[in-house]
Amino acid sequence: VTDSTFSGNFSSVTVKFAGGGGIHVRGTLSVSNTTFSDNVTSSYGGGINFQSLSLSADSNITNSTFSNNSAFEGGGVNVVQGGDIFNPTPGMVTLVHVTLSGNNSSGNGRHVTADVGGEARLYGTILSGGTGQFACVHSNISTLESQGYNLIDEPNSESCIFEHPTD
């Protein structure tokens, strides 16, 4: 997906780990120069919900914006590995030069959530504003990692656990 806009979409689902107000992905996706705004889901991933069902489902988001999206968890982006199945080498989503601003979650992770073995890496990414309990959320079997140069202007930003010296 390149040079696109996903705005004002709605997804109402009751299936666990489904969702994706803008896009629901079961596999690999590359996104660049794209805006996700004002998308809503009653489940996971207001902007994008990545549900990796493959060992090699690595995805990338570059030079894109997620603003004012809403979800139960992962207001901007949600990354989950295959529902309830624990996979030792899950796919990964890398965010490079992405802005996550004003996203909302009624549960956890107003901007980014990694759950049930999902992995997300952020580089040069901005997290700002929005509502929800935490800016970022990851479970003890998931990875949410800074690759550096991230800017977090958030209350409860300690939930992002960004420890790279350039953050």
Side-chain angles (χ1 to χ4, degrees):
V1 178
T2 304
D3 299 326
S4 299
T5 299
F6 293 81
S7 183
N9 298 296
F10 177 74
S11 168
S12 176
V13 294
T14 57
V15 178
K16 189 172 184 176
F17 299 118
I23 298 176
H24 178 85
V25 179
R26 290 184 134 193
T28 300
L29 178 69
S30 291
V31 174
S32 65
N33 304 318
T34 296
T35 298
F36 293 83
S37 66
D38 303 305
N39 298 297
V40 177
T41 183
S42 58
S43 191
Y44 296 83
I48 300 179
N49 184 45
F50 288 94
Q51 184 180 15
S52 173
L53 301 176
S54 166
L55 295 177
S56 60
D58 292 343
S59 297
N60 298 295
I61 305 171
T62 57
N63 300 323
S64 295
T65 300
F66 292 79
S67 67
N68 302 313
N69 298 292
S70 297
F72 169 67
E73 286 194 3
V77 177
N78 184 65
V79 182
V80 66
Q81 173 60 37
D84 290 323
I85 300 169
F86 293 85
N87 191 328
T89 55
M92 179 182 314
V93 177
T94 303
L95 289 77
V96 178
H97 301 292
V98 172
T99 298
L100 297 126
S101 176
N103 296 298
N104 306 292
S105 118
S106 58
N108 291 314
R110 59 184 166 267
H111 295 303
V112 180
T113 302
D115 201 4
V116 190
E119 294 188 26
R121 291 186 177 163
L122 285 69
Y123 175 86
T125 292
I126 298 169
L127 290 84
S128 177
T131 60
Q133 186 171 4
F134 300 105
C136 307
V137 171
H138 67 93
S139 67
N140 60 352
I141 58 163
S142 301
T143 303
L144 181 62
E145 180 181 309
S146 170
Q147 299 292 298
Y149 300 98
N150 297 297
L151 174 63
I152 305 169
D153 181 22
E154 286 285 333
N156 299 323
S157 63
E158 66 276 359
S159 66
C160 297
I161 311 175
F162 289 164
E163 297 175 350
H164 195 279
T166 62
D167 289 332

